Amino acid sequence: MTNNRLALITGASAGLGAEFARQYAEKGWDVALTARRADRLDKLAREIEEKYKVATLVITQDLALQKSVDSILHELKEAGRHVDALVNNAGYGLPGTFFNTSWKEQAQFIRVLYTAPIELVHKLLPGMAERNFGRIINVASLAGYAPGTGGHTLYASVKAGLIKFSESIHAEAKDAELDIHCTALCPGFTFTEFHDVNGTRDMANESPKWMWMEAGPVVEAGIDGVTRGHPVVVPGAVNKGVATLTRILPEPLGRELMKRQSKRFRKMEND
């Protein structure tokens, strides 16, 4: 047992999740790592313990399962630990349209990207309030600002919901005068495995390099933002510009632009 604060990170086996684990560990936090791939979690845990000399806890779990959140919290309790920071990072893209995907696929998508993160926040908040300390980062997306697309149907909806949810939790904690900060982190294109998993790597490779960010600065912006108490963080100048543009564009024009972009996604999926 250590006296360090503990950060719980979902989707910690790769990409932004692994980078969150490294950066929190570098700051002297212990980290609890959860994802489906035990081998990757174990490898990351060994790396972090050796490099940063902090404690790690590996919890192999699939957030698509109904009891996954309770299972994660049970393992934390058994280890005698409480959560000081929560990073809801687990996620993926679901290619195809609403017509050609099954409800099981859509329901699991909602569960992993929206229901489970909200359940984690709901069940961890009482302890954070009792200790008067908590930091919550919900990894949303720049897509949460944009009109919906044809294909990847629920992605923008879920990310927009995470943004609004984070703003609400931030406001409630502030009204209660609690030292609890909640931030929606809204990255754009980021160099991770995300596009490999959802089958859009070729499309992503065609995008201009100036639109992309490395994982490190994205995560740094998220941690800095939640530390400072910012309810929403859009990392990078280009992403900030895009977010502003989505607010000022006439809605019909914005929808037409997204329609053209979604056709590119569907073409890549069908090739």
Side-chain angles (χ1 to χ4, degrees):
M1 183 71 66
T2 75
N3 294 321
N4 298 338
R5 295 195 185 277
L6 178 73
L8 169 63
I9 301 151
T10 71
S13 59
L16 290 179
E19 184 63 24
F20 268 112
R22 293 184 181 101
Q23 290 201 23
Y24 266 111
E26 187 175 16
K27 294 178 183 296
W29 289 58
D30 294 340
V31 291
L33 313 172
T34 184
R36 294 176 301 166
R37 295 177 287 189
D39 55 338
R40 289 199 175 196
L41 292 178
D42 290 338
K43 182 179 179 181
L44 177 62
R46 290 193 298 270
E47 172 199 326
I48 286 174
E49 289 179 353
E50 291 172 4
K51 186 172 183 179
Y52 301 111
K53 312 304 180 185
V54 299
T56 65
L57 178 63
V58 169
I59 304 173
T60 306
Q61 192 57 245
D62 183 355
L63 289 178
L65 303 176
Q66 289 298 318
K67 297 295 184 180
S68 56
V69 167
D70 287 338
S71 296
I72 291 169
L73 299 182
H74 175 74
E75 291 203 36
L76 286 165
K77 185 177 180 180
E78 287 292 299
R81 301 303 303 263
H82 64 257
V83 175
D84 299 293
L86 167 66
V87 180
N88 278 316
N89 166 76
Y92 59 97
L94 181 59
T97 68
F98 211 61
F99 297 101
N100 65 16
T101 50
S102 68
W103 175 244
K104 180 180 179 180
E105 290 173 310
Q106 296 291 349
Q108 288 179 338
F109 180 85
I110 296 168
R111 168 75 191 165
V112 173
L113 275 81
Y114 195 62
T115 308
I118 290 174
E119 184 180 356
L120 275 166
V121 173
H122 189 267
K123 291 181 174 179
L124 289 174
L125 269 176
M128 290 180 173
E130 182 179 345
R131 295 182 296 273
N132 193 30
F133 184 88
R135 301 291 183 262
I136 301 166
I137 299 174
N138 294 315
V139 179
S141 171
L142 203 56
Y145 285 99
T149 65
H152 295 263
T153 317
L154 293 180
Y155 191 80
S157 302
V158 164
K159 296 304 187 180
L162 277 180
I163 294 170
K164 297 304 180 186
F165 172 68
S166 301
E167 290 175 328
S168 294
I169 296 300
H170 170 84
E172 290 177 8
K174 188 172 183 179
D175 290 344
E177 298 183 346
L178 292 168
D179 188 14
I180 297 175
H181 302 166
C182 185
T183 296
L185 176 62
C186 303
F189 289 128
T190 308
F191 290 111
T192 67
E193 294 181 357
F194 178 85
H195 296 283
D196 298 310
V197 174
N198 72 9
T200 56
R201 170 57 59 197
D202 290 340
M203 184 284 301
N205 288 341
E206 293 178 2
S207 303
K209 297 304 180 190
W210 53 264
M211 295 180 63
W212 290 77
M213 290 186 67
E214 297 287 347
V218 171
V219 168
E220 185 178 359
I223 295 176
D224 181 67
V226 77
T227 301
R228 295 173 182 270
H230 296 163
V232 180
V233 170
V234 179
V238 172
N239 293 331
K240 286 181 173 66
V242 172
T244 300
L245 191 62
T246 61
R247 297 189 189 99
I248 63 177
L249 274 179
E251 290 185 6
L253 178 57
R255 283 192 288 268
E256 180 61 28
L257 290 173
M258 290 307 297
K259 180 181 178 181
R260 295 178 184 178
Q261 185 71 4
S262 68
K263 286 181 178 178
R264 290 184 62 207
F265 272 89
R266 290 200 298 271
K267 182 179 183 299
M268 293 304 303
E269 289 167 10
N270 295 329
D271 284 348

